[in-house]
Every structure is written in structure tokens, then in C-alpha cells.
Amino acid sequence: MERSARLEAFLERTRPVMDLGRAAAVLGWDQNTYMPPGGAEARAEQTATLTGLVHERLVSDETVHALEALEEEVKGASPGSFAAGVARVARREIDQMRKLPGKLVSDLARASSLAQNAWVEARAQSRFDLFRPHLEHILDLTRQVAGHLGYQDHPYDALLDRFEPDMTSAQVDRLFDQLKARLVPLVEAIRPRLDRVSDAVLRQSFPRDGQFQLGNEALRAMGFDFQRGRLDTSAHPFTTSFSRNDVRITTRVDEQNLAYALYSTIHEGGHALYEQGIPEELERTPLGDIISLGLHESQSRLWENVVGRSREFWQFVLPAAQRIFPQQLGGASVEELYRAVNRVEPSFIRTEADEVTYNLHIFVRYELERDLLGGTLDVAGLPEAWNAKMEAYLGIRPPDDAKGVLQDIHWSQGSIGYFPTYTLGTVLAAQLFRQAEQEEPGLRDSIARGELVRLKEWLNRRVHAHGARYTLPEMTREITGRDLEAAPYLEYLEGKYRELYGL
Amino acid sequence: MERSARLEAFLERTRPVMDLGRAAAVLGWDQNTYMPPGGAEARAEQTATLTGLVHERLVSDETVHALEALEEEVKGASPGSFAAGVARVARREIDQMRKLPGKLVSDLARASSLAQNAWVEARAQSRFDLFRPHLEHILDLTRQVAGHLGYQDHPYDALLDRFEPDMTSAQVDRLFDQLKARLVPLVEAIRPRLDRVSDAVLRQSFPRDGQFQLGNEALRAMGFDFQRGRLDTSAHPFTTSFSRNDVRITTRVDEQNLAYALYSTIHEGGHALYEQGIPEELERTPLGDIISLGLHESQSRLWENVVGRSREFWQFVLPAAQRIFPQQLGGASVEELYRAVNRVEPSFIRTEADEVTYNLHIFVRYELERDLLGGTLDVAGLPEAWNAKMEAYLGIRPPDDAKGVLQDIHWSQGSIGYFPTYTLGTVLAAQLFRQAEQEEPGLRDSIARGELVRLKEWLNRRVHAHGARYTLPEMTREITGRDLEAAPYLEYLEGKYRELYGL
């Protein structure tokens, strides 16, 4: 690729910033996988220092001047060009950062590093009081962030924009309303028929090593490159990337449930394929960092649900699972597994929720976040508010905070405004798969034959190749020719579950 | 501790530098334990960026001005005071760094990160040609380093001083000559009697998990705090510290040899106790980073050899080893194990060498390093020069480069001038243990009862509590009242091996 002197000067200036961010990611990965408990305090300082330096360098006058020079140059260029894309993405991030005082950024990094460790402890003991002061501190700092970033209607908009550029909470509300109008009746229709689908086949004893092996085989079939990544375990599964050639994912194994580790591995694997699929020439540039979480989630949900919970996937994977667990699965059929992994039941833990109720978990969190930020709910009242919403939407009340308000890592990380992106990605996943099927006839048959790489390569070309060039709304139009819409998702979901539950 | 405004200002300025250094250490640990092969290139850039920033901040005018203000203040203070110690250690490091251009430092970091990965590959394939261009590049950069740092007699002095402050190669030569004069005859006297001691009991099949468990039990008995550290595996065992509360060590397991993992674990455990023993108030200050490698090595050698290869240690550890490996060790006696772990035999790999021949391996490396730097040897001739020296000192010729010149990670890390510190530490270990026995009557009996923590606590008080306040020569005088001397070590070694080999 031809690169002008001004582009090269700007990239030269920002490369160390990218390196610092990736170094902070290594520290985060270690913190959640291998770090001994004693390491928490020093790690918080180290992370705060790295994050503070990223901020300092990115908002510095030298960086801004280099960006202005680049912007001048690309004024006439095609908005789809590499240089124009770099300028636009960098401008967005730098403007956002320049609004935030360096001290606030490093305070938040330190607070969230400490809060993450408090959260692990609080969750283990199911004691919200251990986490409460940390969350209060984070919420206070986050409100300051929203204030500095600015917003029109609701402080939530300022925060959402950091995770999902180009989207507002009003847009989210519209989409979520459409979903609620169809999902609530669907769950209600299924509720009296819950016992029509059994997942007993999944709830046997599946030793850890075998589950890890099955997850590895699924990743390999998807085209995850183990020379450029690895799978570990952590309290909460996640994906992180230190470069396109070093992408880490984690899972958690429940020995009494085959589905948990398998589907969290496929889910994180979907994220990882995105990161491994970023083109080499975007490395260490602003276009190499995916900032739309909804886009990212569309990749994980596509693999986890649309692919992973299909009949075709089980046609392919069952023989491998039977080889690893002959006693437990020797007599099982594809249909039995397909039905089991699609069993609907209102449950406490979001990451273990079925496809149909999953979004209700998101609605709980989204609404609570908004209320906390808006000041109509305080942290002391959060556990009770959580439980009340769970009862209202899902008809069940968590027995303790570990199975309730303490289950997710996000708030401890300062990630407020993040949860809606899960549903945005889920909705987009269905829209993308519909497009893939149109462009790749016989795609489902390929999946049944274990040729999952065919879908991966389509995603490489159509999605991953763009890096961070487009926002979620833009990318959706670019690939499908339409705006993000609820219809493909609702049709997919209703078609599947009406058949499963004989509605 | 009372801290003046000037001291606090200087520490405030240097804390982020310490954090960056520790972050780079996390990246290095990951690179050697869990990083997938694809991650190498980006990791090299990230490490170079962090190292470059450490350099940039440490040599900046602001840092130097803060240091000058502190120096002004401590002029009259006791040299043993915290503030005076900080000023002295920081001045030493900053002066050294200011002599090095930032570009040279980051070039070296990048080159050594790439060289480490080339070394892993070269060693696996026993192909020196894969490593040669990397070593040539590193050597070239290292010569530039020596030139910038300056030296009187030999470029080696400039490099040695970075790992062992206050020592020159002339001092090393004097000590090494004393050792050679007694060790060569000792090895010669043992050579015709090699078969008097058998290590057959160690050379059975010892499954990996059991070896890991035994290493963990030894570490626990030593007082290693697993809440503040962990044990992993890597190609070459090492210790690294991200704070006194997060100290990582690694080992490597040979399933056909019980001694390798056990002794490398105890060795690294000795290093780790030093890092875990740094007082809390020295954290994130220049006094919290131990820069004398000889002092560090005295801790590992003390535990590995003086303690770990004693009869008393086996009185304590054999029951645990028999519990883990009942078939292999059920009928073994303390005397059989004591003799086995002290078997002398000229061999190829330094890290597997016995106590008596170990120093000969160091002499090989020390002399080759000096010749490479002095220009009387070039990298192309290194494998042959290595093999020739091995034959001259140990009477054996490596069958391939993996067992020869490619065995150590050090040169790939740019650590030239490092090897002599192993022997310095080994010599000091004996001098320290003699002192400990004088101050702690019945210490050997305590070890036999498994009360290894008594020695750890003595080391905490007498050695670790000082942090980086003293250099090796100073610390030796402070603790033993004498200069570093060969006599205690030679008496320990000759006494032990004359008895073992009936000389």
C-alpha cells in the first residue's frame, strides 16, 4: 500500500500508543487468568500508568497536529480510502479522549482494576457489600466521564457511544421495543410447554479435560489458528487481542454441563476469528482496533447461536463429542442434542441463558444502568432492583447476589453502556447469516460436513477485511444493503422455536 | 516512614517508570510461558516501546532535576538512610542510561525480543545458523552499549557493571583464578572415581504432575507464598517479579530425571524469596529493584546447593517424595538420595551440571564473551570455540549445538556480561550460610525437621530487608564483616566432595 509522508508521520506517532494499549491488554489477560491474588494492587497501578500514558500521548499536541495535517491531505480523498479511514477513526477517538482529563482516566483505570478483584471475591462469597463501595466509586467516575463527553438527552448516550459509535439510546429503545413486542409473547407461549424439550443429555458428568478437547476441536473446525492464539480458563470467559497474530480467548468449565464450556468457547472463538482476520496492513493503525462492540458481538453470536445451535452443527460435531465422551453420548442422536442445546428456560445467569430469554437479561441490565446513571436508583438499592426486574421479566428471583447482580464482570471494569451491544450483535448476526446464505448457496450443508471454514472465509472477506473502517450501521448497509433490522432475527428465532415447542 | 517533599517529588516522578518496567516484565513472562508463536513480532514492538519509554522518562530533564534536588537535600544525611539510598541507586542507573541513546536501547529491546524467539527455534532444531544473524546483531549493539558507557581496560567491564555494580573483570579474574587453582585439581581427583557415586535412583520415570507437586511442596516448606506468586513451566527456568506480592517462577520437567525440576524449582524459589522479602515500603522505589545479580544468585544457590543438596534436606524431603512416588522411591534411603543429587560428572548442560563442574561452564562462557567483545573471536567461530573449551575444561565435546552453544537464553536476551554473576553468587552463598550457622545455632537440625522457614527468616532480616541499598561487596561486608572470599566456598565444596568420593 502506498502511504504518503503525512500518513506515515501520523502512524509513526500513534504506533507507540497502540503498543501501550496492547501491553495493557496483556496485563489484563494475565490478571484474569494466572495472576495470584497478591498481585492485584500493583497491577492496578501498572494498568493505570499504561492507560494514563495512552491518554497522554493520544491527546498530545504533536498527535493532534499530525492528525490535522493528515486531515488536510485526505479532504478530497475517497472516504473509503485507508488514509481517510485512519483520519476519521483517529479523530473520533482523540476528540473523545481530549474531553476526558488524564487524571479521570487513570483514576478510573485504577478503580476498575481494584474493583475487578473485589468483584471476584464478592462473587465467590456472594457478598454485594464487598463490591458496593467499588461500584459506587466507579459509577461516580463514570458520571464524570459522561459529563465531560457531553450528551443531549441522557448521560447514557455519552457512554453508549464509546462502545457503539453512531448509535443513541433512543435508537436502542426503538429496536428493543420491537423485540420486546415479539419476545415476551414468545416466552409466554413457550412457558407452559417447557417440558417438551429436555437437556438431560447435557447434564451428565463431563470431565474437564474432555470438554477442553471438544472446545479445541470446535475452534479448529471454525478455523481458529492456534499458532496465533490460545485458549485458557478464567472466571468469566473473554477474548483479548495483542495483535492479529496473538489472540487469546478463555472459557470456564462446568463438569456437570456439557454446553457451558462448548458454547462459551465457540462464542469467544467467533470474536477471535474477527481479531485474527484483521488484515496485516491494518496492524498497529487505528483501523486495526475494532471499536464497535455490536459488530464484534455479531461475530460471536453468529457462531454460538446461528451456527452452533443448528442441526447442521450437531451433524458435524456429534461424532467428535461421542469419541471424547463415549459413555455419556454414545447413544445420543443429533436431534436429541439439537433440542437439548436449544432448551428454553428462564434462568439466573445471563451467560448460560438460552437464545430466547437472553435478551430479557440484557433489558434488565440496560434499564438498571440507565437508572443508576440517571440518579433514579442508587447502588444500595441495586440488588433489590435487580431481583425485582428478574421476577418481572423472567418470572424468577435470584436466590443470592452471586446468581444475581454480582454475576457479570462488566461494571467492575467500568463498562457501563456496554450491555445493549450484546443484543445489537445478536440481531445483526441473523441479518448477516441470511446474507451469507444468499451469497454462499448450500452453506448449511457445508456446516453439516464440518466445513465451517467456508463461513469463516466469507466473514473474512465481507466483515473482517474492513477492520474498524465502518461503524455498525455503516457495515450493516455495506454488507446487506439494508439498515440493521429486527425482522431477520425475529423470523429466525420464531421459526426455530415454534418448531421446537410445537407452537 | 517520614518522607520529605523532595523525596516524595522524586518518587512520584519515578513510580510510572517502575510501573512500565514491571509491565515489560509481565510481557516477558508471558512470552516465555504462554505466548503462541505468532505473537513474537508484535511482542517485540510492544516490549521495545515500553523499554524505550522507561529510558525516555528516566533520562528526562524533569527526572534529573528532581534527583539533583534530592541529592542536595541528602548531602549531610547518613548514607544508610532511605533518601540517601534512593538518590545513590537512582543516580547510578540514570547516569548509565543517559549515556545510552534512546534509539540504541529500543533497538536492543526489539532485537533481543526477536532473538529470543529465533533462539527457541534454533535450539529446538539444533541449528546455530538460525540464531547466528540475531546474535551478530545483538553483539554489534552491545559493543555500542559498552562504547557509550565507557571503560578503562576492557569493554567487558562496562557490561559487567550493569549486572554487578562495583565489580570489574580484573576482580573477577582474581577470584576465578583462585577457584580454578583448586577446582581443577578437585575435578581431576574425582574423575577416576566417578563410579563411586550413582544417581540411578533419580533416573527412573517420574511423571510430570508428581514432579510439579514435589516442587510445590519444597517451595511451601521454604516459605514461598503462593498467594503472592506462582510456578509455571518454560523452556528455560527463570524468576520475574511484578511486585513483592506477585513473583513468578518457572521450571522445566524432565520425566526421566527427578533432580532437574526439583532443583531448578528450589533455585528459582531462592530468587523468589528475595523478591517476596523486599520490604513493603521499598515498593515502586529504586530500592525495590535488586540490581546485583550476584546477590540474587547467592540466594538461589544457597537454597539449591547448600540447603537442597544437603543430607538434612533429604531427611526432611524424602518422606514427601516417597509419598508422591512410592514405587520409584519407596525403598530409597536418605544417604542414597544425598549421594545421587551430589554426583559429579562432566556434562554438557550448565543448568544440569553438578556443583563441582558448574563453575567450569561459567568459565567457558565468561571467556567466550570476553573474546567476542574484544574482537578476537567472531560469531561464526563461536560453536567451534565453545566445543573446544568444553573439551579443554570438562573433557567432553557437545554432540550438537543444542547441547552446546545454543543451550542458554542469555545472549538472545542481550545479557552479555551476566554469566560471571552465577559464580559470584555461588561463592557468596557459602559465605552467607557460614554466617547464618553462626547466628542461628542448630540451623542444620532445623532443616532436617523441615523448618526451612528459619533460614528464610534469617535471610529476610539480614539480606532481603535492605532491598537494593547495597552492592554485592558492600552487602557481604555488612553481613559477614568480611570481603567476598573464595575460602568458605572452597572449604564447603572440598569438605563435601572429599567425603563423597573418599579422597
Side-chain angles (χ1 to χ4, degrees):
Chain A
M1 194 181 333
E2 189 81 7
R3 289 183 177 180
S4 73
R6 284 180 177 194
L7 175 57
E8 197 40 60
F10 180 71
L11 294 177
E12 181 66 28
R13 178 78 204 154
T14 47
R15 270 186 210 112
V17 181
M18 317 292 297
D19 290 339
L20 286 166
R22 297 300 173 104
V26 177
L27 268 57
W29 174 85
D30 177 73
Q31 177 167 354
N32 285 296
T33 51
Y34 295 107
M35 189 182 80
E41 210 170 325
R43 183 59 50 89
E45 299 293 349
Q46 292 150 6
T47 303
T49 291
L50 292 180
T51 315
L53 279 172
V54 166
H55 186 262
E56 183 183 312
R57 298 230 141 191
L58 212 46
V59 305
S60 71
D61 291 341
E62 292 96 311
T63 308
V64 173
H65 292 154
L67 176 58
E68 285 165 355
L70 178 62
E71 285 172 332
E72 184 67 32
E73 184 173 77
V74 299
K75 254 180 194 160
S78 148
S81 77
F82 176 68
V86 166
R88 190 178 75 139
V89 169
R91 169 57 69 187
R92 208 188 154 277
E93 194 174 358
I94 288 171
D95 277 358
Q96 212 169 56
M97 278 213 170
R98 277 172 80 93
K99 293 178 182 167
L100 298 181
K103 185 174 178 320
L104 179 56
V105 173
S106 62
D107 282 354
L108 195 57
R110 192 176 297 110
S112 69
S113 188
L114 290 172
Q116 279 176 63
N117 290 287
W119 167 74
V120 169
E121 192 58 32
R123 181 180 183 231
Q125 297 188 37
S126 192
R127 282 183 53 189
F128 183 73
D129 63 305
L130 296 179
F131 182 52
R132 180 182 152 182
H134 292 276
L135 182 55
E136 282 170 342
H137 188 205
I138 280 183
L139 197 66
D140 176 49
L141 296 169
T142 302
R143 267 199 212 93
Q144 295 178 38
V145 167
H148 285 286
L149 293 177
Y151 52 88
Q152 287 203 303
D153 299 331
H154 196 284
Y156 198 88
D157 283 345
L159 303 174
L160 175 62
D161 189 63
R162 304 165 82 203
F163 303 110
E164 204 52 75
D166 273 12
M167 296 217 58
T168 65
S169 62
Q171 288 173 296
V172 170
D173 285 341
R174 268 198 299 282
L175 184 75
F176 283 15
D177 284 348
Q178 290 176 5
L179 296 175
K180 271 188 197 166
R182 299 263 285 270
L183 292 182
V184 172
L186 181 60
V187 172
E188 274 171 13
I190 291 172
R191 204 185 299 270
R193 295 164 174 254
L194 290 182
D195 58 3
R196 293 216 171 188
V197 174
S198 160
D199 65 353
V201 66
L202 302 172
R203 297 188 178 277
Q204 307 176 66
S205 178
F206 294 96
R208 187 185 169 75
D209 287 356
Q211 290 206 41
F212 222 74
Q213 190 189 334
L214 182 61
N216 270 279
E217 293 196 17
L219 286 174
R220 233 175 272 279
M222 290 165 65
F224 179 86
D225 182 351
F226 281 93
Q227 291 292 302
R228 302 192 291 127
R230 48 177 292 131
L231 172 65
D232 293 273
T233 59
S234 64
H236 187 102
F238 67 93
T239 301
T240 186
S241 167
F242 313 144
S243 83
R244 69 189 294 276
N245 297 319
D246 190 357
V247 179
R248 312 282 176 100
I249 62 182
T250 68
T251 186
R252 183 159 63 87
V253 175
D254 176 351
E255 293 200 317
Q256 305 308 313
N257 182 350
L258 181 64
Y260 186 81
L262 177 62
Y263 283 99
S264 78
T265 300
I266 297 173
H267 177 101
E268 303 304 333
H271 285 303
L273 291 185
Y274 200 174
E275 297 289 347
Q276 290 190 337
I278 304 290
E280 181 83 48
E281 65 268 24
L282 303 187
E283 278 276 277
R284 296 178 87 212
T285 81
L287 294 184
D289 255 349
I290 310 305
I291 42 170
S292 160
L293 295 190
L295 278 176
H296 233 308
E297 193 69 7
S298 74
Q299 302 303 295
S300 56
R301 286 298 172 193
L302 199 167
W303 285 103
E304 179 191 355
N305 289 340
V306 188
V307 174
R309 293 183 204 274
S310 68
R311 278 196 178 85
E312 292 80 9
F313 179 75
W314 278 101
Q315 285 171 24
F316 144 66
V317 90
L318 184 58
Q322 287 174 322
R323 179 170 34 78
I324 298 171
F325 300 115
Q327 278 195 304
Q328 298 92 325
L329 300 177
S333 69
V334 166
E335 195 60 21
E336 189 178 359
L337 266 304
Y338 170 66
R339 293 179 69 81
V341 300
N342 287 297
R343 180 166 184 268
V344 175
E345 182 171 29
S347 64
F348 301 117
I349 304 294
R350 175 183 60 84
T351 56
E352 295 169 12
D354 57 84
E355 268 187 288
V356 181
T357 59
Y358 185 87
N359 295 292
L360 306 180
H361 289 270
I362 297 302
F363 302 152
V364 168
R365 287 154 181 76
Y366 172 60
E367 290 163 16
L368 291 174
E369 284 184 339
R370 282 209 314 189
D371 293 350
L372 283 170
L373 273 170
T376 55
L377 173 66
D378 63 16
V379 174
L382 183 59
E384 176 48 35
W386 179 289
N387 294 345
K389 275 196 195 288
M390 284 295 289
E391 209 157 2
Y393 296 168
L394 289 138
I396 54 173
R397 197 179 172 83
D400 55 45
D401 290 340
K403 289 198 175 60
V405 68
L406 287 174
Q407 69 186 267
D408 291 310
I409 197 174
H410 304 62
W411 292 339
S412 77
Q413 293 176 317
S415 297
I416 296 173
Y418 183 121
F419 280 115
T421 67
Y422 286 123
T423 292
L424 295 174
T426 302
V427 170
L428 176 56
Q431 194 167 339
L432 286 176
F433 192 74
R434 177 180 287 191
Q435 185 70 25
E437 278 193 286
Q438 283 169 14
E439 297 183 19
E440 300 280 334
L443 184 58
R444 285 186 178 274
D445 296 337
S446 299
I447 292 170
R449 288 193 300 270
E451 295 160 9
L452 280 62
V453 170
R454 192 173 166 206
L455 177 59
K456 175 203 161 240
E457 285 170 355
W458 184 85
L459 292 166
N460 282 157
R461 283 196 308 277
R462 302 289 270 129
V463 181
H464 310 166
H466 299 299
R469 200 163 305 181
Y470 302 116
T471 61
L472 184 147
E474 291 169 343
M475 184 87 92
T476 308
R477 278 192 296 275
E478 164 76 21
I479 297 171
T480 70
R482 304 179 62 91
D483 285 332
L484 179 69
E485 48 193 6
Y489 175 62
L490 288 169
E491 284 162 27
Y492 153 75
L493 211 63
E494 288 172 345
K496 180 173 176 179
Y497 288 92
R498 280 189 183 138
E499 186 218 325
L500 275 163
Y501 283 88
L503 298 173
Chain B
M1 194 182 328
E2 190 81 11
R3 288 183 178 180
S4 74
R6 286 181 176 193
L7 175 57
E8 197 40 59
F10 179 72
L11 293 177
E12 182 65 28
R13 177 78 204 154
T14 47
R15 271 186 209 109
V17 181
M18 317 292 297
D19 290 340
L20 286 166
R22 297 298 174 105
V26 176
L27 268 57
W29 174 84
D30 177 71
Q31 177 167 353
N32 285 296
T33 51
Y34 294 106
M35 189 181 80
E41 209 170 326
R43 184 58 50 88
E45 299 293 348
Q46 292 150 6
T47 303
T49 292
L50 292 180
T51 315
L53 279 172
V54 166
H55 185 260
E56 181 183 315
R57 298 229 141 192
L58 212 47
V59 305
S60 72
D61 290 342
E62 293 96 310
T63 308
V64 172
H65 292 153
L67 177 58
E68 284 165 356
L70 178 63
E71 286 172 333
E72 184 67 28
E73 185 174 77
V74 300
K75 254 182 193 157
S78 146
S81 78
F82 176 67
V86 167
R88 190 179 74 139
V89 169
R91 169 57 70 187
R92 208 188 153 275
E93 194 173 357
I94 289 172
D95 277 357
Q96 213 168 57
M97 278 212 169
R98 277 172 78 93
K99 292 179 183 166
L100 299 181
K103 186 173 177 321
L104 178 56
V105 173
S106 62
D107 283 354
L108 195 56
R110 193 176 297 110
S112 69
S113 189
L114 290 173
Q116 278 174 64
N117 290 288
W119 168 74
V120 168
E121 194 56 34
R123 182 183 182 226
Q125 298 188 36
S126 192
R127 282 183 52 188
F128 184 74
D129 63 306
L130 296 179
F131 182 52
R132 179 181 151 183
H134 293 276
L135 182 55
E136 281 170 341
H137 189 204
I138 281 184
L139 198 66
D140 175 49
L141 295 169
T142 302
R143 267 200 212 95
Q144 294 178 39
V145 166
H148 284 286
L149 293 177
Y151 51 88
Q152 286 202 303
D153 298 332
H154 195 284
Y156 198 88
D157 283 346
L159 304 174
L160 174 63
D161 190 63
R162 305 165 81 202
F163 302 109
E164 203 53 75
D166 274 12
M167 295 216 59
T168 64
S169 62
Q171 288 173 296
V172 170
D173 285 341
R174 268 197 300 282
L175 184 74
F176 282 15
D177 284 348
Q178 289 176 6
L179 295 174
K180 271 189 197 165
R182 300 263 286 267
L183 291 181
V184 172
L186 180 59
V187 173
E188 273 171 13
I190 291 173
R191 203 184 298 269
R193 293 163 175 254
L194 291 182
D195 59 3
R196 293 216 170 189
V197 175
S198 160
D199 65 355
V201 66
L202 302 173
R203 300 191 174 274
Q204 306 177 67
S205 177
F206 294 95
R208 186 184 170 77
D209 287 356
Q211 290 206 39
F212 222 73
Q213 190 187 335
L214 183 60
N216 270 279
E217 293 196 19
L219 285 175
R220 235 174 271 280
M222 288 165 66
F224 179 86
D225 182 351
F226 281 93
Q227 291 293 300
R228 302 194 290 128
R230 49 177 292 132
L231 173 65
D232 293 274
T233 59
S234 65
H236 187 103
F238 67 93
T239 301
T240 185
S241 167
F242 313 145
S243 83
R244 70 190 291 277
N245 297 319
D246 189 357
V247 179
R248 311 280 176 100
I249 62 181
T250 68
T251 185
R252 183 160 61 88
V253 175
D254 175 351
E255 292 200 318
Q256 305 310 315
N257 181 351
L258 181 65
Y260 186 82
L262 178 62
Y263 283 99
S264 79
T265 301
I266 297 172
H267 176 101
E268 302 305 332
H271 284 302
L273 291 184
Y274 199 175
E275 297 289 347
Q276 289 191 335
I278 304 289
E280 182 83 47
E281 65 267 24
L282 303 187
E283 279 275 276
R284 297 178 88 213
T285 81
L287 295 185
D289 256 349
I290 309 306
I291 41 170
S292 160
L293 294 190
L295 278 176
H296 234 307
E297 192 70 6
S298 74
Q299 302 303 293
S300 56
R301 285 298 172 192
L302 198 167
W303 285 101
E304 179 191 355
N305 288 340
V306 187
V307 174
R309 293 184 204 273
S310 69
R311 277 195 178 85
E312 292 79 9
F313 179 76
W314 278 99
Q315 284 170 26
F316 144 64
V317 91
L318 184 58
Q322 287 174 325
R323 179 169 35 75
I324 298 171
F325 298 115
Q327 277 194 302
Q328 298 91 326
L329 300 178
S333 69
V334 166
E335 194 60 21
E336 190 179 357
L337 266 305
Y338 169 66
R339 293 180 69 83
V341 301
N342 286 298
R343 180 166 183 267
V344 175
E345 182 171 27
S347 64
F348 301 118
I349 305 295
R350 175 182 61 83
T351 56
E352 294 169 11
D354 58 83
E355 270 188 288
V356 181
T357 59
Y358 185 87
N359 295 293
L360 306 181
H361 288 271
I362 297 303
F363 302 152
V364 168
R365 287 153 181 77
Y366 171 60
E367 291 163 16
L368 290 174
E369 284 183 338
R370 281 208 315 189
D371 293 350
L372 283 170
L373 273 169
T376 55
L377 173 66
D378 64 16
V379 174
L382 184 58
E384 176 49 35
W386 179 289
N387 294 346
K389 274 195 196 290
M390 283 296 288
E391 209 157 3
Y393 296 167
L394 289 137
I396 53 174
R397 196 178 174 85
D400 56 44
D401 290 339
K403 290 199 175 59
V405 68
L406 287 173
Q407 69 185 268
D408 290 311
I409 198 174
H410 303 63
W411 291 339
S412 77
Q413 293 176 317
S415 296
I416 296 173
Y418 183 121
F419 280 114
T421 67
Y422 287 122
T423 292
L424 295 174
T426 302
V427 169
L428 177 55
Q431 194 167 340
L432 286 176
F433 192 75
R434 176 179 287 192
Q435 186 69 24
E437 278 193 287
Q438 283 168 16
E439 297 182 20
E440 299 280 335
L443 183 58
R444 286 185 178 273
D445 296 337
S446 299
I447 292 170
R449 287 193 302 270
E451 296 160 9
L452 278 60
V453 170
R454 192 174 166 206
L455 176 60
K456 174 200 163 250
E457 286 169 355
W458 184 84
L459 292 167
N460 281 157
R461 285 195 309 278
R462 302 289 271 131
V463 181
H464 310 166
H466 299 300
R469 199 162 306 182
Y470 303 115
T471 61
L472 186 147
E474 290 168 344
M475 185 86 93
T476 307
R477 277 192 296 274
E478 165 75 23
I479 298 171
T480 70
R482 304 179 62 94
D483 286 330
L484 178 69
E485 48 193 5
Y489 175 62
L490 288 170
E491 283 163 27
Y492 153 75
L493 211 64
E494 289 173 344
K496 182 174 177 179
Y497 288 92
R498 281 190 182 138
E499 186 217 323
L500 274 163
Y501 283 87
L503 299 174

